[in-house]
Amino acid sequence: QDAQRKVNAIQKNLPKDCDPPSLQKFDMNDFPIMQIGVTSNLPETELYDLVKNRFKPELNQIKGMAQVKMLGGTEREIQININSNKLETYDLSILNVTNAIQKANLEFPTGKIKDEAGQTSIRLSGKFISTDQINDLVVKYDKNDTPIRIKDVAEVTDAQKEADVFVRADGKNSIGLLILKQSDANAVELSKSIREKLTQLEEQYKPQQLHFNIPKDTSIFTMDAAHSVLEDLLLAVLLVAFVMLFFLHSVRNSAIVLFAIPTSLISTFIVMYLSGFTLNLLTLLGLSLVIGILVDDAIVVIENIHRHLEMDKSAVRASYDAIREIGLTVSSITLVIVVVFVPVAMTTGLVSDLLREFSITVAIATLCSLFVSFTLVPLLSSRFSKLERLNPNKPIGMFVHKFESGIDHFSSFMQHTLSWAFRHKIITLVSVLLLFFSSFLLVAKGFIGSEFMNAGDRGEFMIELELPKDATPEMTNQLASQAEKYILTIPEVTNMFSIVGTTLISQEGQTVPRKAQINVKLVNSDKRSVSCDLISRRTKIALEQRLVDCKVKALPASSFQAPIQVILQGSNVPELMKWSKIIKKEVEAVKGTSETDLSVEDGNPEIHVEVDRDKMGALGVDIATVGMTMQTAFSGNNDAKFKDKGEDYDIEIKLDQFDRQNINNISRLTVPNKDGKLIQIGQFATITEGTGPSQLDRKNRFPSVSVNSYTLGRPSGVIGEEIKERLAHLNIPGDITISYGGDLENQTKAFASLLFALIISIFVVYLIMVALYDSYVYPFVVLFSIPLALIGALLALALAKQTLSIFTLLGMIMLIGLVAKNAILIVDFANHMKKEGLKVKEALFEASRVRFRPILMTTLAMIFGMLPIALATGPGAEWKNGLAWVLIGGLASSLFLTLIVVPLVYYIFDRILERFHLIPKPHEEIINL
């Protein structure tokens, strides 16, 4: 609103006939969610009126609708095509005809009459209601008082507007409708409402064979992705159930633990509803990833209850003592998981919009699981839990016995490894440090790329055709039709939506006659053997061979901006253009760049009319009259309206097509001087052919040129770094500044926000540890487990061929809470053993032994819960895979290294503190007590 006020303030300085400036807020929701093609057996002009005056207003009334954009179609128009020779014969100018029509086509409210019965308004109706009235209109009288009528100098026809935009759906000529939703509207619900409305309209206009073709509906992808996540969620629950059954050997105990999942999820749904959240891709992804975490607290609690049952306590007593003993620890490990999401939810910018609901959903679900583990789990355990002794001679007992034997061997192996680590402390710590720094070499050496967000394979792409600058809409339409016929022969193609003469990202009403855009939709990825990128590339190559003198681009679907943008700014425009072309070649030389071009191209063909003001003065001609005459002759004047059946249609006044074909038509055009005599423009003007600017860009009020490029086969972050290295070797003048936009800018901002959130998360976790241990030193032992997780996380990314993106960075933030949990269990139990009188080393070995089983169980539960997401291939998998692999790799490395490194670091810290007398001795503790 502030920007709009500033723009409005300078409107008075703009030319009077200038279109009002438009202000657009950049929003990802501004991209159409649906593309609709309308066909019927009605005449083209009638169908246009029906869509414009009936269908469009009805669709606009649907809840959540922001705008319905209408493209293509044939609009009715009254055309007055003036013959230049006849104008000269009757000594008339085109302005005489225009003025006569406008003066004769008026309506006036002229007042009212009043009498004793009341009053009645008076209206003078002077609008044209038939073409005969226009034909018979007198322009002027000649010397013999003979009337010169419109029909004497022009041809009046009830025709159609000259088409500048063509739309086809699946190869059929259509009227295009683009559906834009409100920013807070649900795309799935809006799409459902629109489809219901379209079905009603098709039934209502069945005799007219009305049909709405929907080549693209983004809600279909959303629903497919949501269903895919739900399948992953159910599979995760089943895998976690098997893990529980193997470890707990009891259907009862497994059921108690699994009962925490639906209870926590239902509780989460309630909070999500109250918070105004929806079940979208990100919230469902969060719920899928949290399945293993939901049973985490319940596993620790029921494992401790089972330990107390083995002490011959009753189920009620065991449940009570177990909760009392481990309550603070369980609360701490849950809070550690929750607090890492607080900084993520509080980030700003694009990252916040994407990840806020995800973070809050996971945090809510985790808190709900803590509440369930403190209430429902001990309650059910006190009523139904019992020690079960399985017969090792029976099949189930034999399998469980072998499983337990394997766990015992693994536990023994870890104990021996820990013992070896204590004997070789330096070798162990140096090895871990080498592993940690070596894992970052995977990023530095290019094994792990970086990008803002993985686009994945959505089964959609765009073909953009660009003809020479002098191409007409008809020429572009002809080539686009040829391209469509080929695309429809591709077996994997299901739908196609073509726009000729403009693009989806063009401003309202802006036409680009030489461009066409074909949106192509493919079958789902599981029904084809090749990727969407490969099909789009093959299509581009095939079309380049078939279409002559046409530039073909293959772009990702919904690409409102290129991921690679190098922006040059400076005051010298020719110098900017020169260096932009040099930089374009450098960008094209980088492997993985595709469809590289400049935002500002060479000039469009243009005819320059340069007037001689001295001659104009001598002939009595003014520049305003010349401009208005030329504008009406070649562009047309449609200020006058034609009224029919309550609707207004444009009356288009301009020269006949025959008189608008070459440069000589401009020279012969006549304009009236101050005495009313007609003067040809060629008498006072020089007319030449040249070029004019195609586009002028400014950024921060300085002229700018952008080098834009798409990516193919390589992450945008890796490509961006190579481009920066190449540009660093160029001697670019100091008055030209270089900046980066697109995904490079988004990635830099997003990574900075998430890294800041990572640091804040570590600090908050440290504060919780300080409160738990009443020490500023021991929390550092827990923090040492975080780098151990990064080793496995980066290795998993490299092996799974994933990239560093905002989602994988989010996974690393999640790891802080998940792996710190294991370290807390060890440190907390070691402190407990020390208080009971064990020496430090003995306490650490006992903590590693006792906590091994719950750590192994919870870690495997989380890994198996995330495995379906890591292996997912359905819609939206490109977001899920990397995040899940980070968590799986981090948890796996944490499982092994935490049990070795954390006790070792704890021991070293303890020895240092004791050496400097920072640990109170037993008798000092008694005196203090």
Side-chain angles (χ1 to χ4, degrees), residues 525-663:
S525 56
D526 56 349
K527 296 179 182 178
R528 47 187 161 88
S529 57
V530 290
S531 68
C532 180
D533 286 341
L534 185 56
I535 293 175
S536 67
R537 201 69 183 172
R538 288 176 179 174
T539 306
K540 167 187 165 70
I541 295 170
L543 291 177
E544 284 177 334
Q545 295 172 349
R546 285 168 169 78
L547 305 181
V548 181
D549 200 17
C550 177
K551 184 179 179 182
V552 182
K553 290 183 182 180
L555 308 177
S558 306
S559 57
F560 53 88
Q561 64 176 6
I564 305 294
Q565 294 181 0
V566 183
I567 304 169
L568 293 80
Q569 288 181 263
S571 55
N572 190 332
V573 176
E575 191 77 3
L576 273 182
M577 292 302 300
K578 170 190 169 185
W579 278 99
S580 66
K581 293 175 182 177
I582 295 173
I583 291 176
K584 180 188 175 186
K585 292 181 179 178
E586 294 291 329
V587 171
E588 288 175 330
V590 176
K591 184 180 178 182
T593 56
S594 171
E595 314 297 359
T596 306
D597 60 8
L598 301 177
S599 63
V600 179
E601 302 170 339
D602 293 331
N604 290 327
E606 195 173 77
I607 295 175
H608 297 282
V609 180
E610 298 181 4
V611 297
D612 186 322
R613 296 186 182 274
D614 292 335
K615 289 183 179 179
M616 287 179 65
L619 294 171
V621 180
D622 61 85
I623 193 73
T625 305
V626 176
M628 290 175 63
T629 302
M630 292 180 63
Q631 189 178 59
T632 303
F634 297 101
S635 179
N637 182 298
N638 57 8
D639 293 340
K641 303 298 177 184
F642 178 84
K643 201 174 190 66
D644 185 26
K645 298 178 182 178
E647 298 293 337
D648 284 341
Y649 299 96
D650 289 342
I651 297 177
E652 183 78 10
I653 308 168
K654 60 182 173 183
L655 284 182
D656 188 87
Q657 178 64 40
F658 181 79
D659 294 324
R660 292 184 284 115
Q661 291 185 341
N662 53 56
I663 197 171

Side-chain angles (χ1 to χ4, degrees), residues 562-566 587 707-711 716 719-720 723 741-744:
I564 305 294
Q565 294 181 0
V566 183
V587 171
V707 181
N708 303 318
S709 176
Y710 290 85
T711 60
S716 59
I719 294 174
I723 291 173
D743 279 5
L744 298 181

